[in-house]
């Protein structure tokens, strides 16, 4: 069998590399901190479920999470947390500079931050996602509530999720009377395993499996191209 011309081999390999780069770019997009359910009706009580992926590339683990709650018209009268195994939770109460009157009740202080801190050994690392839940209400009659999140890592670094919807790191938003903005990360799947509020793990969509499956398909296509080109070259030589 005649050897496949080097120029043809290079061309086939270059084609394969280009295809791999094309599919790798969207797969590498990071998921954002988000609310599992981002709508609520005024006057109701609801559970805020924060999904927090670990996006660090240097192996650090997520060890702390701080959620800042709104004040003013968006104030939440009641805030309670759902315990997470291996994590402590602190409700930070602040005296309001200007008391808020709602009906017959005057509110002079409120929970303005919730801080979760991992005990040693309970941090979660790359490839996993934390689930943090609050039960809040009554939901105020406003358009939306921005809920900035600060994610702390075991190496001392922090990431602030506090931008608007178009920012690289947008704040989670609870939509009330405003129409929800489509989540540009809606198609981003969390990497397994997922850390749940009970400290167990569940299987989210297997991104690694999808990537490997896609790579297998591409490599098979490359092999087919090389084989076809090689046969044509052999016929010409013969």
């Amino acid at each position: 069998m005649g050897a496949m011309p080097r120029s043809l081999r290079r061309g086939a390999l270059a084609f394969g590399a280009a295809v791999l780069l094309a599919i790798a770019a969207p797969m590498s997009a990071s998921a954002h901190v988000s609310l599992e359910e981002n709508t609520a009706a005024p006057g109701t009580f609801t559970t805020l479920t924060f999904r927090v992926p670990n996006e660090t590339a240097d192996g650090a683990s997520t060890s702390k999470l701080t959620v800042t709650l709104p004040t003013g018209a968006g104030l939440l009268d009641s805030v309670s947390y759902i315990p997470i195994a291996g994590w402590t939770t602190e409700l930070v109460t602040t005296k309001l500079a200007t008391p808020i009157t709602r009906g017959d009740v005057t509110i002079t202080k409120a929970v303005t931050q919730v801080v979760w801190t991992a005990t040693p050994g309970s941090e979660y690392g790359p490839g996993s996602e934390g689930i943090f839940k609050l039960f809040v209400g009554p939901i105020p009659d406003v358009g939306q509530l921005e809920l900035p999140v600060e994610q702390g890592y075991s190496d001392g670094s922090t990431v602030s999720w506090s931008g608007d919807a178009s920012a690289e790191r947008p704040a989670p938003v609870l939509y009330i009377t405003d129409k929800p903005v489509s989540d540009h990360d809606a198609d981003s799947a969390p990497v397994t395993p997922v850390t749940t509020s009970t400290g167990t793990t569940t299987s989210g969509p297997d991104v690694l499996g999808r990537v490997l499956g896609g790579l297998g398909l591409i490599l098979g296509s490359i092999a087919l191209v090389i084989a076809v080109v090689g046969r044509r070259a052999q016929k010409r030589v013969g």
Side-chain angles (χ1 to χ4, degrees), residues 25 69 94 188 191 211 236:
L69 301 175
T94 303
S188 297
V191 179
V211 172
R236 285 198 296 269

Side-chain angles (χ1 to χ4, degrees), residues 92-150:
V92 179
T93 301
T94 303
K95 183 177 180 180
L96 302 178
T98 303
I100 296 175
T101 300
R102 289 181 175 170
D104 298 330
V105 178
T106 298
I107 304 171
T108 58
K109 60 181 180 179
V111 176
T112 55
Q113 279 191 332
V114 182
V115 183
W116 287 273
T117 306
T119 57
S122 296
E123 308 90 344
Y124 63 93
S128 58
E129 178 180 79
I131 303 295
F132 302 83
K133 296 186 177 184
L134 296 176
F135 186 66
V136 302
I139 298 300
D141 190 2
V142 295
Q144 62 185 52
L145 299 180
E146 287 193 2
L147 303 166
V149 173
E150 185 173 275

